[in-house]
Amino acid sequence: MRIQELFKKVDAVAVADAYFVMHTIFYPYEHRTLREKIHAAGKLRQMIAESIQGFISCNAMIGDRQKTIFLFEEKETEYPPQGNVSYSLSAVYDDQACRNMEASAMQEESRAGKRIAHYEINMDSMEKVAGYLISELCVKRFGEAACCAEILYHFFAFGFTDEERRKNITALQERLKTADKEIAEGKTHSLEELGEELHRKLIDNCEDPDLRQYMILTREHEKRTADIISRHRMEVLKENQRNAEELVWEEYENRRRQIERCRAIRSERAGECSGGQSPSEICTEYYGKYQITLAEQIGSGIEGENLRKSIKCEKNPYPNKPIRKVKPL
């Protein structure tokens, strides 16, 4: 199912409710009045409803290389652990994932050792995102409203309007160019150095003596417990990575099985046997020239040239199910 089709199926109120549950929306407004917070929530609901309509009405772009969007539920890395979870979203190139699956099967490598590249959608246009696919497993696991809410959350990362998004994306690209230039000139700073500099500025600018002493002691405590927190954080990150990889592998493995079942039905109707295909060939067939969904492949009776010839010679084994062609999109 494509993202545009997903947005056609959801209710704006349900998506907004999922958005509020999954993300803390008042962080920038924590010092605002209650009236301002209520107004901000109302504006966000309005922007969610307008964006849903935008995804439905836009001209979805379907590129040569298909992407699938995955939604992940991840454990937080805070210490001591409190069991909190957060949500993230990434896009995966289908052909790249299939090639990784094929290489892993041929080399008999463990799945955990075969990393799958993933990409952000923050800087993609609405038309591009609308043409992507959504993971069927994620829709079943989290629901349609939650998937749409997370897509909008990442889509809103650079602003709520097209003009605002273009402006912020351009500014970020300029900053990245400046950063690349500084790196080429050897002007680099580690995160630790930047963190220390920030803490020094905060302490130096603090006029309350008690608060200043508290900040100094808190920083000393952070340094003493840094190794413990770092070990815990790395373990949680590894677990999140394993869970994400397993979800991606399972999604593409399910697609491979579905395609094989579809091919078996077609072969049974044709009375012929089809040779085995690699995952990448199956992926090419599934997301090839016609962009036909699995349900259409199984239900519509799409047949190859050999099958059409055999049907002319043989009695139709399914008299109540006429065979129809599916036109390319």
Side-chain angles (χ1 to χ4, degrees), residues 19-20 25-26 28-29 32-48 160:
Y19 194 106
F20 295 155
I25 66 167
F26 294 120
Y29 306 96
R32 305 285 183 89
T33 65
L34 178 62
R35 185 185 297 274
E36 289 173 326
K37 291 180 179 180
I38 294 174
H39 177 71
K43 290 291 292 183
L44 181 55
R45 285 185 180 275
Q46 179 182 349
M47 291 306 305
I48 289 173
F160 294 99

Side-chain angles (χ1 to χ4, degrees), residues 146-175:
C147 291
C148 289
E150 190 64 18
I151 291 170
L152 291 178
Y153 178 79
H154 284 257
F155 192 74
F156 291 160
F158 287 100
F160 294 99
T161 64
D162 290 339
E163 182 181 358
E164 188 179 6
R165 292 186 79 245
R166 285 195 296 267
K167 179 181 177 181
N168 291 331
I169 290 173
T170 301
L172 174 62
Q173 291 172 340
E174 292 298 326
R175 290 198 297 270

Side-chain angles (χ1 to χ4, degrees), residues 41-154:
K43 290 291 292 183
L44 181 55
R45 285 185 180 275
Q46 179 182 349
M47 291 306 305
I48 289 173
E50 292 176 357
S51 297
I52 290 174
Q53 289 302 316
F55 272 103
I56 293 173
S57 60
C58 73
N59 294 323
M61 296 174 57
I62 302 175
D64 295 334
R65 297 187 65 196
Q66 182 63 63
K67 282 184 180 180
T68 296
I69 290 179
F70 290 85
L71 172 62
F72 306 110
E73 185 178 63
E74 300 176 336
K75 290 184 178 179
E76 290 282 7
T77 58
E78 76 276 359
Y79 194 86
Q82 301 175 16
N84 296 329
V85 298
S86 61
Y87 299 91
S88 66
L89 182 146
S90 295
V92 175
Y93 279 110
D94 291 337
D95 56 352
Q96 188 178 48
C98 289
R99 284 196 299 269
N100 284 354
M101 289 179 63
E102 184 177 359
S104 178
M106 292 177 62
Q107 299 173 12
E108 298 183 354
E109 297 176 354
S110 64
R111 290 183 175 182
K114 199 70 178 176
R115 298 292 296 274
I116 298 176
H118 50 89
Y119 308 88
E120 295 287 345
I121 66 169
N122 300 347
M123 300 176 68
D124 293 346
S125 66
M126 178 178 286
E127 290 76 13
K128 282 187 176 181
V129 176
Y132 296 161
L133 296 171
I134 183 69
S135 163
E136 295 180 8
L137 287 178
C138 292
V139 173
K140 291 180 181 179
R141 182 174 300 183
F142 302 109
E144 295 169 349
C147 291
C148 289
E150 190 64 18
I151 291 170
L152 291 178
Y153 178 79
H154 284 257

Side-chain angles (χ1 to χ4, degrees), residues 120-327:
E120 295 287 345
I121 66 169
N122 300 347
M123 300 176 68
D124 293 346
S125 66
M126 178 178 286
E127 290 76 13
K128 282 187 176 181
V129 176
Y132 296 161
L133 296 171
I134 183 69
S135 163
E136 295 180 8
L137 287 178
C138 292
V139 173
K140 291 180 181 179
R141 182 174 300 183
F142 302 109
E144 295 169 349
C147 291
C148 289
E150 190 64 18
I151 291 170
L152 291 178
Y153 178 79
H154 284 257
F155 192 74
F156 291 160
F158 287 100
F160 294 99
T161 64
D162 290 339
E163 182 181 358
E164 188 179 6
R165 292 186 79 245
R166 285 195 296 267
K167 179 181 177 181
N168 291 331
I169 290 173
T170 301
L172 174 62
Q173 291 172 340
E174 292 298 326
R175 290 198 297 270
L176 290 175
K177 290 180 181 179
T178 303
D180 290 339
K181 182 179 178 181
E182 291 179 351
I183 291 174
E185 295 173 352
K187 299 177 181 179
T188 58
H189 301 278
S190 66
L191 290 177
E192 290 78 8
E193 292 174 344
L194 294 175
E196 286 295 331
E197 182 179 355
L198 176 61
H199 277 281
R200 284 196 301 269
K201 289 182 178 180
L202 290 175
I203 293 172
D204 293 341
N205 295 332
C206 183
E207 298 179 356
D208 187 334
D210 287 340
L211 179 57
R212 188 171 186 275
Q213 184 65 18
Y214 174 81
M215 293 171 66
I216 293 173
L217 294 176
T218 301
R219 186 56 178 166
E220 291 178 357
H221 173 73
E222 291 175 354
K223 291 180 179 179
R224 292 177 180 176
T225 58
D227 291 341
I228 298 174
I229 296 174
S230 178
R231 286 196 298 270
H232 170 73
R233 181 177 290 115
M234 289 304 299
E235 288 299 322
V236 173
L237 291 176
K238 288 179 181 178
E239 182 179 354
N240 288 338
Q241 178 67 30
R242 286 195 299 268
N243 293 337
E245 290 176 356
E246 285 298 322
L247 177 63
V248 174
W249 279 103
E250 186 177 355
E251 172 74 23
Y252 287 103
E253 184 67 19
N254 286 348
R255 290 186 188 181
R256 186 189 66 79
R257 294 195 188 101
Q258 290 171 347
I259 295 299
E260 290 291 356
R261 286 197 296 270
C262 176
R263 187 179 294 113
I265 293 174
R266 292 164 55 185
S267 299
E268 182 180 353
R269 291 178 180 179
E272 60 185 16
C273 296
S274 61
Q277 285 182 286
S278 66
S280 59
E281 291 172 328
I282 292 172
C283 186
T284 301
E285 176 181 339
Y286 190 60
Y287 304 107
K289 177 180 178 181
Y290 295 100
Q291 299 290 344
I292 299 171
T293 65
L294 177 65
E296 289 173 325
Q297 290 191 54
I298 294 177
S300 63
I302 302 170
E303 316 297 350
E305 186 65 27
N306 292 335
L307 178 55
R308 286 194 293 271
K309 291 180 179 179
S310 66
I311 290 175
K312 292 179 181 178
C313 301
E314 298 177 9
K315 184 178 179 180
N316 185 2
Y318 300 95
N320 297 325
K321 296 183 179 180
I323 297 172
R324 66 178 179 85
K325 291 184 180 180
V326 176
K327 296 181 180 180

